Amino acid sequence: MAEQRAGRVVSRRSERIQDAVPFRMMFGFRMHSGYAERRLEPGVLDLTFGDPHEMQMPEYVEALRSAAVPEDELWFAYKQSERPAQDAAAASLERVVRLGWTGDDLRMTTGGFGAITVAMKVLADPGDEVVYTLPPWFLYEPLALEAGLAPVKVRAAEPSFDLDLGGIASALTPRTRIVVVNSPNNPTGRIYPPELLLGLAGLLAEASARFGHRIWIVSDEPYNRIVFFGNEFHSPAEFYPHTLVCYSYGKTLLAPGQRLGYIAVPPGLEGRDEVLEAVDMMQIAAGWLFPNAVMQHATPALEKLTLDVAALEAKRDRLVGAMREIGYEVAVPDGTFYLWPRSPLPDDEAFVADLSRRGVFVMPGALFETPGWFRICLTATAETIEAAIPHLRDAFEAARKLRHGGVVEADSGQIP
């Protein structure tokens, strides 16, 4: 063992996490690309992360301010899951996914991160496999590796970016314990239809019987309230009871820095109490992954609030229309606050670099392990989106000329 550790400073697990392509690219993007400094420069148009770009709604601030005033001597004592927070969260979830949820079915977590971390460690042992679809939220792989799990990746069906049920079925092995489903999807904005989720439920039930152990769904649902007109959200939990629902308030309230979420186990599930007890223990063992006292005290008031989905939809429609007029291939997202256009250059990183030179920040598809595309975040102001359109037009035109005889500078990876 000593020989194996010779010359190494950190654990192999740390090295594997750092080597994960999405993690390495995201860390490099935030820390080493100049993004952190340039995003604050006058005139720079930031369309990258789901951060707020306007002052938080006064009702949100007041909810936290009120929750910070102690009502008893234990107001700031150690908190696990506070019952008023659980009840408020369950009532809200029941309005979206009608399965008879109560506060007993939920455990409050430090955002969606905490919920997914706990779900993976409760359901799977080191060496087990977790299957998810590309393009993914870029932190599934690091979270799986941290839990000692083996990521197994299946590409979505293009151009719809629906789940590829055939691909998922082929990826399942006796080591598979978890399939992650993210709907509405980040980054594509796709909401998976009921018939697709029903098909997934059938193939997982068959595979579970064949392998002699249950394959679970971890349903990552932080956008299940951000659904645009004419669309309807359905959770995998409606079709497959062995589903853990993971939710984050950071999206619905556009306050990702205030860590609040939950993990929910469907009522009536056989073994539900055992799963919930394991969740409680894992939250403690993994580093007290319960929200801070103030966030839990504020949850009932926060559940009355939401970001302006109609304003998001208006920004979506404006930008989709403008980009299609320019010539971009871009689908209309069903939900979330993202657009997922095809890059006009096969090298999406080169195209994103050119946009960056023009003062527009977006994310390359390579960060989502899906080269040839890029992601735009609609949480930017309407003014920012309007100002970005001419730059998107100029970058598209530059890419068009490049495809017809231009040359990309190999040393910079940027469009000259």
Side-chain angles (χ1 to χ4, degrees), residues 109-146:
T109 63
T110 48
F113 269 98
I116 296 170
T117 295
V118 169
M120 286 186 176
K121 292 183 176 182
V122 162
L123 299 178
D125 291 313
D128 288 341
E129 294 174 346
V130 54
V131 176
Y132 55 85
T133 294
L134 304 183
W137 178 52
F138 38 68
L139 288 175
Y140 290 144
E141 183 172 359
L143 292 184
L145 293 174
E146 192 279 329

Coordinates of all heavy atoms in Angstrom, one line a residue, residues 109-146:
T109 N -32.9 18.6 1.8 CA -31.5 18.5 1.5 C -30.8 19.8 1.1 O -31.5 20.8 0.9 CB -31.3 17.5 0.3 OG1 -31.9 18.1 -0.9 CG2 -31.9 16.2 0.6
T110 N -29.5 19.8 1.1 CA -28.8 21.0 0.6 C -28.8 21.1 -0.9 O -27.9 20.8 -1.6 CB -27.3 21.0 1.1 OG1 -26.8 19.7 0.8 CG2 -27.2 21.2 2.6
G111 N -30.0 21.5 -1.4 CA -30.2 21.6 -2.8 C -30.3 20.3 -3.6 O -30.3 19.2 -3.0
G112 N -30.3 20.4 -4.9 CA -30.4 19.2 -5.7 C -29.1 18.4 -5.6 O -29.1 17.2 -5.7
F113 N -27.9 19.1 -5.4 CA -26.7 18.4 -5.3 C -26.8 17.4 -4.1 O -26.4 16.2 -4.3 CB -25.6 19.4 -4.9 CG -24.8 20.0 -6.1 CD1 -25.2 21.2 -6.6 CD2 -23.8 19.3 -6.6 CE1 -24.5 21.7 -7.6 CE2 -23.0 19.8 -7.7 CZ -23.4 21.0 -8.2
G114 N -27.2 17.9 -3.0 CA -27.3 17.0 -1.8 C -28.3 15.9 -2.0 O -28.0 14.7 -1.6
A115 N -29.4 16.1 -2.7 CA -30.4 15.1 -3.0 C -29.8 14.0 -3.8 O -30.0 12.8 -3.6 CB -31.6 15.7 -3.6
I116 N -29.2 14.4 -5.0 CA -28.6 13.4 -5.9 C -27.5 12.6 -5.2 O -27.3 11.4 -5.4 CB -28.2 14.0 -7.2 CG1 -29.4 14.6 -7.9 CG2 -27.5 13.0 -8.1 CD1 -29.0 15.5 -9.1
T117 N -26.6 13.3 -4.5 CA -25.5 12.7 -3.8 C -26.0 11.6 -2.8 O -25.5 10.4 -2.8 CB -24.7 13.7 -3.0 OG1 -24.1 14.6 -3.9 CG2 -23.7 13.0 -2.1
V118 N -27.1 11.9 -2.0 CA -27.6 11.0 -1.1 C -28.3 9.8 -1.8 O -28.1 8.6 -1.4 CB -28.6 11.7 -0.1 CG1 -29.4 10.7 0.7 CG2 -27.8 12.6 0.8
A119 N -29.1 10.1 -2.9 CA -29.8 9.1 -3.6 C -28.8 8.0 -4.2 O -29.0 6.8 -4.1 CB -30.6 9.7 -4.7
M120 N -27.7 8.5 -4.8 CA -26.8 7.6 -5.3 C -26.1 6.7 -4.3 O -26.0 5.4 -4.5 CB -25.7 8.3 -6.1 CG -26.1 8.9 -7.4 SD -24.7 9.7 -8.3 CE -25.5 10.2 -9.8
K121 N -25.8 7.2 -3.1 CA -25.1 6.4 -2.1 C -26.1 5.5 -1.3 O -25.7 4.5 -0.8 CB -24.4 7.4 -1.1 CG -23.3 8.1 -1.7 CD -22.5 9.0 -0.7 CE -21.3 9.6 -1.3 NZ -20.6 10.5 -0.4
V122 N -27.4 5.9 -1.3 CA -28.4 5.0 -0.6 C -28.7 3.8 -1.5 O -28.9 2.7 -1.0 CB -29.6 5.9 -0.3 CG1 -30.8 5.0 0.0 CG2 -29.4 6.8 0.9
L123 N -28.8 4.0 -2.8 CA -29.3 3.0 -3.7 C -28.2 2.1 -4.3 O -28.5 1.0 -4.7 CB -30.0 3.6 -4.9 CG -31.2 4.5 -4.5 CD1 -31.8 5.1 -5.8 CD2 -32.3 3.6 -3.8
A124 N -26.9 2.5 -4.3 CA -25.9 1.7 -5.0 C -24.7 1.6 -4.1 O -24.4 2.5 -3.3 CB -25.6 2.4 -6.3
D125 N -23.9 0.5 -4.4 CA -22.7 0.3 -3.7 C -21.5 0.6 -4.6 O -21.7 0.5 -5.9 CB -22.6 -1.2 -3.2 CG -23.5 -1.5 -2.1 OD1 -23.6 -0.7 -1.1 OD2 -24.3 -2.5 -2.2
P126 N -20.3 0.9 -4.1 CA -19.1 1.1 -4.9 C -19.0 0.0 -5.9 O -19.1 -1.2 -5.6 CB -18.0 1.2 -3.9 CG -18.6 1.7 -2.7 CD -20.0 1.1 -2.7
G127 N -18.7 0.3 -7.2 CA -18.6 -0.7 -8.2 C -19.8 -0.8 -9.1 O -19.8 -1.3 -10.2
D128 N -21.0 -0.4 -8.5 CA -22.2 -0.5 -9.3 C -22.2 0.6 -10.4 O -21.5 1.5 -10.4 CB -23.5 -0.3 -8.4 CG -23.7 -1.5 -7.5 OD1 -23.2 -2.6 -7.8 OD2 -24.4 -1.3 -6.4
E129 N -23.2 0.4 -11.3 CA -23.2 1.3 -12.5 C -24.4 2.2 -12.4 O -25.5 1.8 -11.9 CB -23.3 0.5 -13.8 CG -22.0 -0.3 -14.0 CD -22.1 -1.2 -15.2 OE1 -23.3 -1.5 -15.7 OE2 -21.1 -1.7 -15.7
V130 N -24.2 3.5 -12.8 CA -25.3 4.4 -13.0 C -25.4 4.9 -14.4 O -24.4 5.3 -15.0 CB -25.1 5.6 -12.0 CG1 -23.8 6.3 -12.2 CG2 -26.2 6.7 -12.2
V131 N -26.6 4.7 -15.0 CA -26.8 5.1 -16.4 C -27.5 6.4 -16.5 O -28.4 6.7 -15.8 CB -27.7 4.0 -17.1 CG1 -28.0 4.3 -18.5 CG2 -27.0 2.6 -17.0
Y132 N -26.9 7.2 -17.5 CA -27.6 8.5 -17.7 C -27.4 8.9 -19.2 O -26.6 8.3 -19.9 CB -27.2 9.6 -16.8 CG -25.7 9.9 -16.8 CD1 -25.1 10.7 -17.7 CD2 -24.9 9.3 -15.8 CE1 -23.7 11.0 -17.7 CE2 -23.5 9.6 -15.7 CZ -22.9 10.4 -16.7 OH -21.6 10.6 -16.6
T133 N -28.2 9.8 -19.6 CA -28.3 10.2 -21.0 C -27.5 11.4 -21.3 O -27.4 12.4 -20.5 CB -29.8 10.5 -21.4 OG1 -30.5 9.2 -21.3 CG2 -29.9 11.0 -22.8
L134 N -26.8 11.4 -22.5 CA -26.1 12.6 -23.0 C -26.9 13.3 -24.0 O -27.6 12.7 -24.9 CB -24.8 12.1 -23.7 CG -23.8 11.3 -22.9 CD1 -22.6 11.0 -23.8 CD2 -23.4 11.9 -21.6
P135 N -27.0 14.7 -24.0 CA -26.2 15.5 -23.1 C -26.8 15.5 -21.7 O -28.0 15.6 -21.5 CB -26.3 16.9 -23.7 CG -27.6 16.9 -24.4 CD -27.8 15.5 -25.0
P136 N -25.9 15.5 -20.7 CA -26.3 15.5 -19.3 C -26.1 16.8 -18.6 O -25.3 17.7 -19.1 CB -25.4 14.4 -18.7 CG -24.1 14.7 -19.4 CD -24.4 15.3 -20.8
W137 N -26.7 17.0 -17.4 CA -26.1 18.0 -16.5 C -24.7 17.5 -16.2 O -24.4 16.4 -16.0 CB -27.0 17.9 -15.2 CG -26.5 18.9 -14.1 CD1 -26.2 20.2 -14.2 CD2 -26.2 18.5 -12.7 NE1 -25.8 20.7 -13.0 CE2 -25.8 19.7 -12.1 CE3 -26.3 17.4 -12.0 CZ2 -25.4 19.8 -10.8 CZ3 -25.9 17.4 -10.7 CH2 -25.5 18.6 -10.0
F138 N -23.8 18.5 -16.2 CA -22.4 18.1 -16.3 C -21.8 17.6 -15.0 O -20.6 17.3 -15.0 CB -21.5 19.3 -16.9 CG -22.0 20.7 -16.4 CD1 -21.8 21.0 -15.1 CD2 -22.5 21.6 -17.3 CE1 -22.2 22.3 -14.6 CE2 -22.9 22.8 -16.8 CZ -22.8 23.2 -15.5
L139 N -22.6 17.5 -14.0 CA -22.0 17.0 -12.7 C -22.4 15.6 -12.3 O -22.1 15.1 -11.2 CB -22.2 18.0 -11.6 CG -21.4 19.3 -11.7 CD1 -21.7 20.3 -10.6 CD2 -19.9 19.0 -11.7
Y140 N -23.2 15.0 -13.2 CA -23.6 13.6 -12.9 C -22.3 12.7 -12.7 O -22.2 11.9 -11.8 CB -24.5 13.0 -13.9 CG -25.9 13.5 -14.0 CD1 -26.5 13.7 -15.2 CD2 -26.5 13.9 -12.8 CE1 -27.8 14.2 -15.3 CE2 -27.8 14.4 -12.9 CZ -28.5 14.6 -14.1 OH -29.7 15.1 -14.1
E141 N -21.4 12.8 -13.6 CA -20.2 12.0 -13.6 C -19.4 12.2 -12.3 O -19.0 11.2 -11.6 CB -19.4 12.2 -14.8 CG -18.2 11.2 -14.9 CD -17.4 11.2 -16.2 OE1 -17.8 12.0 -17.1 OE2 -16.4 10.5 -16.3
P142 N -19.1 13.5 -12.0 CA -18.3 13.6 -10.7 C -19.0 13.1 -9.5 O -18.4 12.5 -8.6 CB -18.1 15.2 -10.6 CG -18.1 15.6 -12.0 CD -19.1 14.7 -12.7
L143 N -20.4 13.3 -9.4 CA -21.1 12.8 -8.3 C -21.1 11.2 -8.2 O -21.0 10.6 -7.2 CB -22.6 13.3 -8.3 CG -22.8 14.8 -8.1 CD1 -24.2 15.1 -8.0 CD2 -22.1 15.3 -6.8
A144 N -21.2 10.6 -9.4 CA -21.1 9.2 -9.5 C -19.8 8.7 -9.0 O -19.6 7.7 -8.3 CB -21.5 8.7 -10.9
L145 N -18.7 9.3 -9.6 CA -17.4 8.9 -9.2 C -17.1 9.1 -7.7 O -16.4 8.2 -7.1 CB -16.3 9.7 -10.0 CG -16.3 9.4 -11.5 CD1 -15.4 10.3 -12.2 CD2 -16.0 7.9 -11.8
E146 N -17.6 10.2 -7.1 CA -17.4 10.4 -5.7 C -18.0 9.3 -4.9 O -17.5 8.9 -3.8 CB -17.9 11.8 -5.3 CG -17.5 12.3 -4.0 CD -18.4 11.7 -2.8 OE1 -19.6 11.4 -3.1 OE2 -17.9 11.5 -1.7

